[in-house]
């Protein structure tokens, strides 16, 4: 079964760091583009970051320089290292698999994890 | 960034009804649009991609149309399981952005 399971969320003080993990099963993370999408409480969805199969990464302006997406091929796991956290980073973070057209330039999100909650508060 | 605007924000309907949700992009996105369904406490689920292609396993009562800047999601013969929040998302260029959501409620 194709599945994504996130972990690592929790309550963290402003300025702190947290690392989210996303364990994949049923497919190979490194063969796919993978992204993180977040949703603040009661709000809409916001794309956060992507890692391409070749390893290149890209970030939303709101997290550029503070968040780092990476993966461990041997563990088939995706990560999101979050530093200098702010109150506005409070959200459920979803790990998603990108579902791309043949060019690889256009990707919807076909597989979603259950999400992990990150709360940034003193 | 491309802005996505959905209407209406809330829609009340009854089982068996046909409903349409509209999504407008602030600039042309060709057909690079997806629709997702989200239920409370759950992750979004992909329904439609490339504006009108039905994701595998999604009931055929869901359909999408449009291109350029205006898109629609139509659900015919609403079922109890369809009451949820629906989001559109463009994937033309980064950053990909989502609409604010349309909550489909039981009348």
């Amino acid at each position: 079964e194709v599945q994504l399971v996130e972990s690592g969320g929790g309550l963290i003080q402003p300025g702190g760091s947290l690392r989210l993990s996303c364990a994949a099963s049923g497919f190979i993370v490194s063969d796919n583009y993978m992204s993180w999408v977040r949703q603040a409480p009661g709000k809409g969805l916001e794309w956060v970051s992507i890692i391409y199969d070749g390893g290149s990464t890209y970030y939303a302006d709101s997290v550029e320089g503070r968040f780092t997406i990476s993966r461990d091929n041997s563990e088939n796991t995706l990560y999101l290292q979050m530093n200098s956290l702010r109150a506005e980073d409070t959200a459920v973070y979803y790990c998603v698999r990108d579902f791309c057209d043949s060019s690889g330039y256009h990707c919807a999100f076909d597989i979603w994890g259950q999400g992990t909650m990150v709360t940034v508060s003193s | 960034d491309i802005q996505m605007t959905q209407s209406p924000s809330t829609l009340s309907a009854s089982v068996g009804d046909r409903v349409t949700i509209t999504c407008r992009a602030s600039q042309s996105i060709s057909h690079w649009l997806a629709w997702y369904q989200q239920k409370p406490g759950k992750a979004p689920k992909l329904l439609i991609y490339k504006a009108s292609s039905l994701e595998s396993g999604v009931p055929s009562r869901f359909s999408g149309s449009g291109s350029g800047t205006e898109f629609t999601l139509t659900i015919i013969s609403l079922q109890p399981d369809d009451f949820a929040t629906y989001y559109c998302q463009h994937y033309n260029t980064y950053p990909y952005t989502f609409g604010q959501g349309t909550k489909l409620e039981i009348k």
Side-chain angles (χ1 to χ4, degrees):
Chain A
E1 180 190 6
V2 173
Q3 192 174 2
L4 295 166
V5 178
E6 301 97 334
S7 60
L11 175 63
I12 188 77
Q13 291 189 339
S17 298
L18 208 56
R19 189 178 81 156
L20 306 183
S21 300
C22 171
S25 56
F27 71 98
I28 298 173
V29 165
S30 60
D31 286 348
N32 288 270
Y33 299 179
M34 298 292 297
S35 292
W36 289 94
V37 174
R38 68 184 180 182
Q39 186 171 35
K43 302 297 183 183
L45 298 159
E46 179 188 17
W47 170 81
V48 172
S49 180
I50 183 172
I51 183 166
Y52 295 97
D53 54 352
S56 298
T57 59
Y58 191 63
Y59 300 91
D61 287 347
S62 57
V63 306
E64 177 78 56
R66 300 187 299 121
F67 289 13
T68 302
I69 189 172
S70 64
R71 66 186 182 219
D72 183 327
N73 296 346
S74 65
E75 296 291 329
N76 207 34
T77 297
L78 181 73
Y79 299 101
L80 186 67
Q81 176 68 43
M82 304 185 296
N83 299 330
S84 302
L85 282 162
R86 306 166 180 167
E88 54 265 35
D89 296 318
T90 294
V92 174
Y93 284 74
Y94 294 103
C95 165
V96 301
R97 185 178 77 174
D98 287 52
F99 170 55
C100 304
D101 74 312
S102 57
S103 73
Y105 286 111
H106 305 284
C107 308
F109 305 131
D110 69 338
I111 305 296
W112 295 64
Q114 86 286 354
T116 187
M117 182 70 204
V118 173
T119 302
V120 184
S121 175
S122 54
Chain B
D1 298 359
I2 297 173
Q3 308 302 316
M4 306 300 292
T5 304
Q6 288 181 232
S7 60
S9 296
T10 305
L11 181 56
S12 296
S14 302
V15 172
D17 284 353
R18 171 191 174 114
V19 298
T20 297
I21 299 169
T22 297
C23 177
R24 290 185 174 87
S26 60
Q27 64 189 73
S28 177
I29 57 170
S30 184
H31 50 256
W32 303 116
L33 185 101
W35 289 97
Y36 301 86
Q37 177 194 67
Q38 186 178 35
K39 296 181 179 179
K42 300 295 186 181
K45 172 187 174 184
L46 178 64
L47 300 175
I48 302 283
Y49 62 95
K50 214 157 68 173
S52 60
S53 296
L54 195 67
E55 172 70 344
S56 176
V58 174
S60 58
R61 62 180 181 272
F62 291 90
S63 65
S65 65
S67 66
T69 61
E70 188 152 339
F71 302 85
T72 59
L73 172 70
T74 299
I75 313 170
I76 60 172
S77 189
L78 271 173
Q79 298 301 300
D81 191 50
D82 300 337
F83 293 94
T85 298
Y86 292 85
Y87 293 94
C88 64
Q89 176 225 342
H90 89 81
Y91 52 105
N92 187 51
T93 55
Y94 281 105
Y96 295 165
T97 53
F98 294 82
Q100 81 281 11
T102 294
K103 185 175 183 180
L104 178 55
E105 300 180 327
I106 300 176
K107 185 184 289 184

